[in-house]
Amino acid sequence: MDTIAMIINKDKNKLKFPRGFLWGAATSSHQVEGGTKNQWSEWEKENANKLVKLAEAKWQDWQKNKFPEMFNPQNYISGQACDHYNRYEEDFNIAKELGHNVHRFSIEWSRVEPEEGKFDEKEIEHYRNVIKALRERGMEPFVTLWHWTNPLWLEEKGGCESKKFSFYFSRYAKFVAENLKDDVKFWITINEPTSVIASAYMQNSWPPQKKSLIAAWKLYRSFARAHIEAYKAIHSVSKKSKVGFANILHSFKSYHKITWMDDVSIFFARYFTNRRMLNLTHGYNDFLTVQYYFHNRFKFPRKIRLNDKPVNDLNWEMYPHGIYRILKHLKQHKLPIYITENGLADAGDSKREKFIKDHLKWIHKAISEGVDVRGYFYWSLLDNFEWDKGFWPRFGLVEINYDTLERKIRPSAWKYAEICKSNELKYDY
Ligand code: FCB
């Protein structure tokens, strides 16, 4: 990597990134592949009508008017998604054209191990070809092993809550690593464990919709164990591997002028979202990750939204400065950091360019202050299936027409491509 001095440019409107910086985008199997059969696909079919009803209360009028698809049950069924399973070469051609030199995707556990202990060679061959396609196009693969979906046999045994979750997961991780180790260096074990704990076990909005603080509490340890076991398994088959987990990190701000009450809430929220998984996996990460979407304002005892703040189509506040504070805090771990997700839902593509540039400005500032950030993955390469919200939120650099499956590169993607290709951020505002 370059020394800090080398990235500080004389021209203030041009920010140079360290040599070898990785630029790309991320996806996950269930959200793009199509044709998956796992606990999510089953839950979607059972809950589509309920989700339509919930949409009425959940979203603001401007969102309901702009995205009437949210009232169609089909919106909530992943189905063929983007058919990326069959069109990955076409999609990687686009990523290459956009100057990406890295790509993050996930392996669908339910395809690779459709029955307990029985691995499907054809599916491993599929992912071998996916990786080959990336390498042929000059993109480094970052492989996620678990992006929230469980095979149905595991779900019957209690899913993530099964006492043997870490055993099952590390056995699968080992199998995949043994088969793909020659072409993969970077492995991400588990995607955002704390998002699953919060949304599936505290807020009741994702499968298995179990509101249980006890289950939530236990899951931290269970996910940490699964990560550590998989970390060891991958290293046992491939010494050159670099292994981490994908961590969602929120930024926080207190509302009142005298802040101590808000700060109490923030202390707990920050511990359970940002810190606990890091603590529990200490010593078993070759790199750290940042997945940044949320700026949480606290007015004791809970989170609030301020109406005058810029938001994306999901009404999530956009707060680029937050990523800088998160990165500065991670510096103490003295590990390389990859921003493995950062993005926004913006169907009109009117905010995406500025969003990316503003975040990169803050990331660059952190780098110039000694934080070892080595890559940025925009979420997502393609519009895709956004879990319990379905298809209407549009995160893609590439727009998908879900009727024809036609791909259309958005203007902001070309702006991001300029940065990827030059390794430099130019801005004029
Ligand atoms: C992240 C998830 C990813 C996507 C984005 C918007 O938390 O990892 O799958 O849903 O949010």
Side-chain angles (χ1 to χ4, degrees):
M1 295 304 270
D2 292 355
T3 58
I4 294 162
M6 286 167 80
I7 65 159
I8 297 176
N9 211 305
K10 298 242 162 46
D11 180 347
K12 282 227 176 83
N13 295 335
K14 259 197 216 163
L15 303 175
K16 199 137 197 58
F17 279 75
R19 205 177 315 128
F21 198 82
L22 296 177
W23 295 104
T27 62
S28 91
S29 56
H30 186 68
Q31 294 177 274
V32 296
E33 281 186 353
T36 53
K37 197 164 167 52
N38 51 43
Q39 97 278 26
W40 265 92
S41 65
E42 301 313 282
W43 181 84
E44 290 154 23
K45 285 181 232 152
E46 281 161 27
N47 287 277
N49 290 324
K50 249 190 246 159
L51 292 167
V52 165
K53 287 201 193 109
L54 282 178
E56 191 52 54
K58 188 164 174 183
W59 305 108
Q60 315 246 325
D61 286 342
W62 64 268
Q63 292 169 298
K64 293 184 212 165
N65 294 334
K66 204 165 158 193
F67 302 105
E69 311 94 282
M70 66 171 72
F71 297 107
N72 178 353
Q74 282 309 314
N75 171 67
Y76 300 98
I77 295 177
S78 54
Q80 65 173 354
C82 312
D83 194 29
H84 178 72
Y85 186 80
N86 297 308
R87 297 172 194 238
Y88 64 88
E89 288 185 297
E90 176 188 348
D91 294 335
F92 296 164
N93 284 343
I94 296 175
K96 183 182 174 193
E97 209 183 333
L98 292 173
H100 298 189
N101 59 15
V102 71
H103 182 72
R104 175 178 172 227
F105 71 97
S106 77
I107 293 195
E108 178 62 32
W109 187 355
S110 62
R111 288 189 195 276
V112 172
E113 192 181 355
E115 286 176 55
E116 188 193 339
K118 291 203 180 127
F119 294 96
D120 188 333
E121 293 294 336
K122 264 202 344 272
E123 293 295 351
I124 271 291
E125 188 56 24
H126 169 81
Y127 289 111
R128 201 174 280 124
N129 290 334
V130 168
I131 290 161
K132 193 164 151 239
L134 286 172
R135 290 244 177 254
E136 281 168 1
R137 290 162 180 78
M139 284 180 272
E140 178 74 36
F142 266 56
V143 177
T144 310
L145 288 162
W146 189 77
H147 203 118
W148 301 348
T149 49
N150 288 335
L152 294 176
W153 61 262
L154 172 59
E155 208 50 22
E156 277 167 29
K157 293 173 186 292
C160 310
E161 287 173 80
S162 157
K163 286 214 169 70
K164 288 176 80 180
F165 181 72
S166 63
F167 165 77
Y168 296 130
F169 180 65
S170 56
R171 180 176 65 181
Y172 149 73
K174 188 168 184 189
F175 175 81
V176 175
E178 271 164 352
N179 279 276
L180 304 181
K181 62 175 188 298
D182 293 342
D183 294 312
V184 178
K185 179 174 174 195
F186 294 98
W187 300 92
I188 291 178
T189 55
I190 291 185
N191 185 67
E192 295 185 3
T194 51
S195 299
V196 176
I197 294 171
S199 300
Y201 291 87
M202 291 166 79
Q203 291 146 17
N204 219 15
S205 43
W206 294 355
Q209 291 187 293
K210 181 168 171 183
K211 224 175 177 168
S212 159
L213 283 182
I214 295 173
W217 175 255
K218 285 188 184 160
L219 273 170
Y220 279 98
R221 280 194 186 278
S222 158
F223 281 134
R225 214 176 303 125
H227 167 74
I228 292 170
E229 292 301 315
Y231 177 96
K232 290 181 187 163
I234 297 168
H235 277 290
S236 76
V237 298
S238 161
K239 296 275 169 286
K240 66 161 205 245
S241 295
K242 300 286 176 204
V243 186
F245 74 99
N247 202 11
I248 186 143
L249 294 157
H250 296 211
S251 103
F252 296 94
K253 197 166 171 57
S254 43
Y255 173 80
H256 294 102
K257 284 229 165 64
I258 297 169
T259 64
W260 73 268
M261 292 234 292
D262 303 342
D263 289 345
V264 171
S265 306
I266 290 177
F267 173 84
F268 286 104
R270 184 178 275 136
Y271 175 72
F272 284 107
T273 14
N274 292 7
R275 310 245 161 111
R276 188 161 164 75
M277 276 309 294
L278 270 183
N279 294 350
L280 291 173
T281 58
H282 182 75
Y284 296 94
N285 290 301
D286 300 322
F287 58 86
L288 299 183
T289 61
V290 174
Q291 313 216 138
Y292 176 62
Y293 296 95
F294 296 107
H295 181 55
N296 296 332
R297 296 176 185 273
F298 270 86
K299 186 174 182 186
F300 181 83
R302 54 181 53 90
K303 281 194 259 182
I304 52 155
R305 284 228 181 281
L306 298 181
N307 290 333
D308 58 338
K309 302 294 173 198
V311 292
N312 70 21
D313 287 346
L314 280 162
N315 209 22
W316 298 353
E317 183 178 341
M318 299 184 289
Y319 188 74
H321 182 231
I323 202 164
Y324 167 75
R325 289 173 30 202
I326 288 166
L327 287 170
K328 290 288 280 192
H329 188 263
L330 289 181
K331 188 179 173 195
Q332 59 181 307
H333 294 273
K334 299 195 172 63
L335 285 170
I337 300 169
Y338 297 91
I339 316 290
T340 42
E341 284 187 30
N342 173 233
L344 79 168
D346 177 25
D349 203 39
S350 58
K351 300 174 180 168
R352 192 170 280 105
E353 177 189 350
K354 185 167 171 358
F355 176 97
I356 294 175
K357 290 186 172 175
D358 286 351
H359 282 77
L360 288 174
K361 237 161 96 175
W362 284 111
I363 293 166
H364 186 277
K365 183 168 161 58
I367 296 174
S368 71
E369 291 169 13
V371 185
D372 186 7
V373 185
R374 298 194 182 178
Y376 177 85
F377 299 68
Y378 175 78
W379 180 270
S380 173
L381 178 63
L382 310 171
D383 283 342
N384 60 56
F385 180 74
E386 179 51 25
W387 307 109
D388 61 323
K389 289 147 197 102
F391 285 108
W392 67 262
R394 301 280 186 156
F395 278 89
L397 292 171
V398 178
E399 181 183 343
I400 303 283
N401 175 329
Y402 290 112
D403 295 325
T404 62
L405 294 174
E406 191 198 335
R407 277 74 171 138
K408 200 162 137 200
I409 301 175
R410 291 201 162 98
S412 60
W414 291 113
K415 295 291 178 188
Y416 178 47
E418 287 171 14
I419 303 169
C420 302
K421 290 176 187 174
S422 63
N423 202 29
E424 191 172 86
L425 166 64
K426 292 192 199 92
Y427 61 95
D428 38 26
Y429 52 89

